[in-house]
Amino acid sequence: MTIENLMKEYGTYVYSYAWKLSCSPDEADDISQETFILAWKNKDTLRDEKAVKGWLRRICLNCFLMKHRKAEEKNLQLSGEDQLTEDDNDFLAAENYVPAPEEEVLVDESIREMQNGCFYAMVRRLTLEQRTAFSLVDMFGLTAAETAQLLDTTEGAVKAQLFRARMNLDAFFSDHCSVISASNPCSCRAWQEFWQKKYKNQEEMRKHAAQTVPSETLDWHKKGYHFNPAVREKITWLYAHMPDKEPGESWFKKVIQAVSLPGQTASSL
């Protein structure tokens, strides 16, 4: 398999995976490019070509975690002692909930991208441990068991971080977002009008949003938030239906140039 074929078959998969981990288009570009560069440099370590997708997925996750590792350069660890408690029964009963079609959250297409941008931004306000568990399970669709295997931890530890992530996001959106409740003050359409006045085009808006890093993490304890299944159902649907992202042609060219020597064709796997 040439690098061109590898990227043609798995490029969108890895790019979308990197996007949902990072919740940032610019960071997704960097992480996904680095994934293919590292994969190609270490192609001899792949023993089974049928396992390419999982191999690339682990490399991509490692690239993301290395980028966000703590100052002391310790790898992300989800403690096996970080478990859910017996008081979380309501949450556990609802964690696998899949909304029926009539319960799906309907969003105007004209504001969908802005709404998605807001929801991505809030994931970036989770701790690294929470964000990783939430991105892999609720956004990318892995099971808690698969996520635990990727992170070399226990399923219980992943569920604990997933619980905290969901509670933090629910606490924020429950009283801020009009998509969750019409009585909430924040409206996508109002924001759309504001940004359209401030920026010339969507690309300018996107770059500004990508460069805006939240200053503090979410914490549902400070708000005294209690689990609300109606809120969880809507947010579950919205995050599960985040669209996959397609990398641009320049992205493919940049990676291929990075792994190919001038005047030579990349060798095969």
Side-chain angles (χ1 to χ4, degrees), residues 60-269:
C60 186
L61 176 63
N62 287 339
C63 288
F64 166 74
L65 294 179
M66 288 296 290
K67 184 177 178 65
H68 290 274
R69 62 192 175 185
K70 296 179 180 180
E72 62 267 28
E73 297 190 351
K74 291 181 179 179
N75 291 329
L76 171 68
Q77 294 292 329
L78 297 184
S79 170
E81 297 178 357
D82 195 7
Q83 304 288 334
L84 292 169
T85 68
E86 293 181 0
D87 295 330
D88 300 322
N89 290 332
D90 289 341
F91 169 80
L92 289 171
E95 70 169 336
N96 295 318
Y97 178 86
V98 178
E102 64 272 15
E103 296 174 306
E104 293 180 359
V105 183
L106 301 178
V107 180
D108 191 317
E109 287 296 330
S110 67
I111 59 174
R112 183 178 294 277
E113 188 163 348
M114 175 163 286
Q115 173 232 299
N116 287 343
C118 178
F119 276 67
Y120 278 125
M122 288 305 107
V123 176
R124 293 173 66 195
R125 290 184 62 181
L126 298 171
T127 66
L128 179 58
E129 293 87 349
Q130 292 169 18
R131 193 213 299 199
T132 304
F134 183 83
S135 296
L136 293 175
V137 177
D138 280 3
M139 294 173 69
F140 202 75
L142 298 184
T143 65
E146 290 170 331
T147 299
Q149 186 175 20
L150 270 174
L151 296 171
D152 296 321
T153 188
T154 66
E155 186 175 348
V158 170
K159 286 186 174 182
Q161 295 298 340
L162 188 60
F163 167 73
R164 288 160 176 74
R166 288 171 172 174
M167 287 291 283
N168 283 326
L169 291 169
D170 290 6
F172 176 83
F173 286 117
S174 65
D175 60 5
H176 281 82
C177 179
S178 63
V179 175
I180 303 303
S181 173
S183 62
N184 284 332
C186 187
S187 165
C188 294
R189 195 168 299 284
W191 274 109
Q192 181 187 51
E193 293 172 358
F194 170 79
W195 290 116
Q196 284 176 341
K197 290 178 181 177
K198 187 170 182 178
Y199 295 102
K200 297 177 182 178
N201 53 52
Q202 286 191 337
E203 182 63 16
E204 248 185 59
M205 291 166 57
R206 184 193 68 77
K207 287 183 178 179
H208 174 81
Q211 293 168 356
T212 303
V213 180
S215 58
E216 62 180 69
T217 56
L218 300 175
D219 186 353
W220 92 91
H221 293 102
K222 292 180 180 179
K223 299 181 68 173
Y225 179 78
H226 296 284
F227 177 73
N228 184 334
V231 171
R232 176 94 302 266
E233 289 164 10
K234 289 184 178 181
I235 295 179
T236 294
W237 191 92
L238 286 163
Y239 276 111
H241 288 77
M242 290 288 190
D244 286 338
K245 298 293 183 178
E246 292 282 348
E249 187 64 28
S250 61
W251 177 86
F252 285 95
K253 291 179 179 178
K254 185 175 181 180
V255 180
I256 291 173
Q257 289 173 356
V259 301
S260 303
L261 294 175
Q264 294 184 353
T265 302
S267 58
S268 298
L269 279 171

Side-chain angles (χ1 to χ4, degrees), residues 30-42:
D30 294 339
I31 293 173
S32 55
Q33 287 171 11
E34 186 179 355
T35 296
F36 279 104
I37 292 170
L38 285 175
W40 195 252
K41 285 181 179 178
N42 296 281

